[in-house]
Amino acid sequence: MRSILATLRNEHDQLRALFEQMNATTDRAEKTRLELLQKIEAALVPHAKWEELVFYPALKSRASHEQKLLWATAMQEHRAVEQSVLPDLKACEPTSREFAGSAKVMGELIDHHAKEEERDIFAVMRELFTAQELANMDEQYEEWKASGMGEGVALHAKIKTGIASIFRSPGSPG
């Protein structure tokens, strides 16, 4: 039976692989870095937005007081990447050490977040939701990603991040 947890884990693995490729580039690999950043953003944004709009609210709706800390932590980690780390990365010249450093930090944050999510949130989701409900969420996610709504939400997030990057001073925090 399909499960949203398996789909999200596979997407985490894809992101980890993209960041490994990014970390293996040299400062001269401008085209490769830009292509990888585009792939990372294309994989990350719909994933994160769906979690924020559907997956995490489902968790929160059934979670105990203690379990809601997982929801709050995950939301803040998403916020940090979207509003700070990704705009900083996009503000950097792809051939710079600042770009390499920002990409490394973003990859580490994504990996940390994914590990916590897979260990803690997935365990709670298995406890709070039936296998059929998790399968239904997976179907909803697939449909959402293919829909105009999913594409629109992802485009809106990319535009916000792009605008935020314009107001960044490359190489320095926000």
Side-chain angles (χ1 to χ4, degrees):
M1 178 180 284
R2 67 189 294 170
S3 173
I4 188 61
L5 306 179
T7 298
L8 295 176
R9 183 184 308 269
N10 287 338
E11 290 181 354
H12 292 163
D13 291 343
Q14 291 168 5
L15 284 164
R16 288 179 181 116
L18 289 168
F19 278 107
E20 282 180 27
Q21 292 174 42
M22 180 73 82
N23 289 335
T25 64
T26 66
D27 290 345
R28 295 185 322 198
E30 179 175 11
K31 182 180 176 191
T32 302
R33 283 182 173 179
L34 289 174
E35 287 171 358
L36 286 168
L37 179 57
Q38 194 171 31
K39 287 178 183 179
I40 288 167
E41 200 170 12
L44 178 64
V45 171
H47 174 103
K49 288 297 154 192
W50 190 82
E51 285 183 336
E52 293 165 16
L53 295 169
V54 179
F55 188 71
Y56 294 155
L59 165 69
K60 184 182 178 194
S61 74
R62 296 187 186 180
S64 69
H65 178 74
E66 292 301 316
Q67 292 167 332
K68 286 180 182 173
L69 180 59
L70 298 172
W71 163 81
T73 301
M75 291 296 288
Q76 285 301 316
E77 289 173 347
H78 277 224
R79 188 172 175 260
V81 168
E82 181 181 6
Q83 295 182 7
S84 182
V85 180
L86 185 55
D88 285 352
L89 177 59
K90 292 175 87 169
C92 296
E93 284 297 320
T95 56
S96 69
R97 292 281 70 201
E98 290 85 1
F99 184 96
S102 291
K104 186 175 189 315
V105 166
M106 186 169 158
E108 290 170 353
L109 287 171
I110 298 294
D111 184 53
H112 166 82
H113 172 78
K115 283 178 180 172
E116 278 188 348
E117 189 173 85
E118 291 166 5
R119 183 188 65 231
D120 301 333
I121 291 178
F122 287 11
V124 170
M125 292 298 283
R126 280 187 206 95
E127 178 185 319
L128 300 177
F129 292 85
T130 66
Q132 185 60 55
E133 288 173 315
L134 296 173
N136 291 344
M137 276 189 217
D138 194 42
E139 289 176 25
Q140 291 167 0
Y141 180 44
E142 184 179 341
E143 291 168 7
W144 180 83
K145 282 197 329 184
S147 75
M149 181 177 210
E151 292 171 3
V153 168
L155 178 60
H156 179 258
K158 286 180 183 181
I159 290 169
K160 279 188 351 188
T161 302
I163 290 170
S165 72
I166 293 168
F167 297 103
R168 298 280 197 233
S169 174
S172 65

